[in-house]
Amino acid sequence: GESVGLHLPTLSVQEGDNSIINCAYSNSASDYFIWYKQESGKGPQFIIDIRSNMDKRQGQRVTVLLNKTVKHLSLQIAATQPGDSAVYFCAENTDRPNYGGSQGNLIFGKGTKLSVKP
Amino acid sequence: DTEVTQTPKHLVMGMTNKKSLKCEQHMGHRAMYWYKQKAKKPPELMFVYSYEKLSINESVPSRFSPECPNSSLLNLHLHALQPEDSALYLCASSPGPGGLAKNIQYFGAGTRLSVL
């Protein structure tokens, strides 16, 4: 199940089950979104992205769903494996003015820790 | 290859020390970033360099001083840090500054900094 409190939200799943990690974003002007996986002692690793003009995108074993109406993003992992255990962050991109152009700016969500039980 | 290399992996320094963190990428990316990450928290943006110019400074204290010697290298110079500055410092790069293009940022493994 999922627990939210003073610490990092945690999702615990059985190996082989599907996982769903949710994320609420804040800015309706954000134009695309990225999911990152961060394993202990490592930097965030790109998993999948989705542009704001799409509502679903699939990768290998992962699917991202975007609901702009309620500003909600989810990451689905099929057949979860022990190697999927990590903290997962969603990030929204919002452009900021820069030298007459614009600079992309990622805002990270709080993160969800996924634990896979063998 | 989407590799961003950071050195050192670990750093312990006193409050009067001067040290530097280094970041290198050879993907031809034109935007590079410094983030600070505390335990169980998301990365927080500190600085952005776009085409070797400082593009964003998120009101970071002057004891942190970034430098971009060329398009492949990014440094973070540290001086007179406080114990609360202890954190994981992450470097990232992206193909361009973003705008209409996708701004996928690729991260290094980070430098774990401890300030005593």
Side-chain angles (χ1 to χ4, degrees), chain A residues 6-8 31-32 34 36 38 40-46 49-51 57 89 93 95-99 101-111 113, chain B residues 31 33 35 37 40-45 48-50 53-58 88 90 94 96-110 112:
Chain A
L6 294 177
H7 304 288
L8 199 62
D31 58 357
Y32 78 88
I34 303 175
Y36 284 95
Q38 187 172 23
S40 181
K42 296 185 178 181
Q45 176 188 0
F46 170 83
D49 63 346
I50 187 167
R51 298 194 74 110
R57 190 159 190 230
F89 293 101
N93 181 78
D95 291 330
R96 294 162 65 166
N98 171 36
Y99 301 121
S102 59
Q103 169 68 53
N105 180 37
L106 286 183
I107 307 293
F108 284 80
K110 294 180 181 178
K113 181 177 181 179
Chain B
Y33 310 77
Y35 287 85
Q37 186 177 27
K40 299 185 179 181
K41 296 290 186 183
E44 295 178 354
L45 183 66
V48 181
Y49 273 82
S50 176
K53 286 185 182 178
L54 184 62
S55 172
I56 294 177
N57 176 344
E58 292 288 46
L88 180 68
L90 293 162
S94 65
L100 295 178
K102 291 199 290 188
N103 186 31
I104 300 173
Q105 294 181 26
Y106 297 94
F107 285 82
R112 177 75 58 190

Side-chain angles (χ1 to χ4, degrees), chain B residues 71-112:
Chain B
S71 60
S72 300
L73 294 175
L74 187 66
N75 299 323
L76 186 63
H77 303 298
L78 315 173
H79 174 53
L81 294 195
Q82 304 297 310
E84 58 265 30
D85 296 321
S86 299
L88 180 68
Y89 287 84
L90 293 162
C91 174
S93 71
S94 65
L100 295 178
K102 291 199 290 188
N103 186 31
I104 300 173
Q105 294 181 26
Y106 297 94
F107 285 82
T111 294
R112 177 75 58 190

Side-chain angles (χ1 to χ4, degrees), chain A residues 17-90:
Chain A
D17 287 352
N18 296 335
S19 303
I20 300 176
I21 300 171
N22 296 304
C23 175
Y25 64 93
S26 56
N27 191 341
S28 55
S30 294
D31 58 357
Y32 78 88
F33 307 85
I34 303 175
W35 279 100
Y36 284 95
K37 171 186 180 183
Q38 187 172 23
E39 297 175 271
S40 181
K42 296 185 178 181
Q45 176 188 0
F46 170 83
I47 301 174
I48 191 168
D49 63 346
I50 187 167
R51 298 194 74 110
S52 58
N53 60 355
M54 304 170 69
D55 52 22
K56 180 179 180 179
R57 190 159 190 230
Q58 288 185 287
Q60 188 175 17
R61 277 201 313 120
V62 294
T63 300
V64 55
L65 299 179
L66 174 62
N67 185 332
K68 293 182 288 294
T69 303
V70 295
K71 292 192 285 189
H72 183 267
L73 200 64
S74 69
L75 177 70
Q76 300 177 0
I77 305 174
T80 314
Q81 302 168 359
D84 295 326
S85 294
V87 176
Y88 289 80
F89 293 101
C90 65

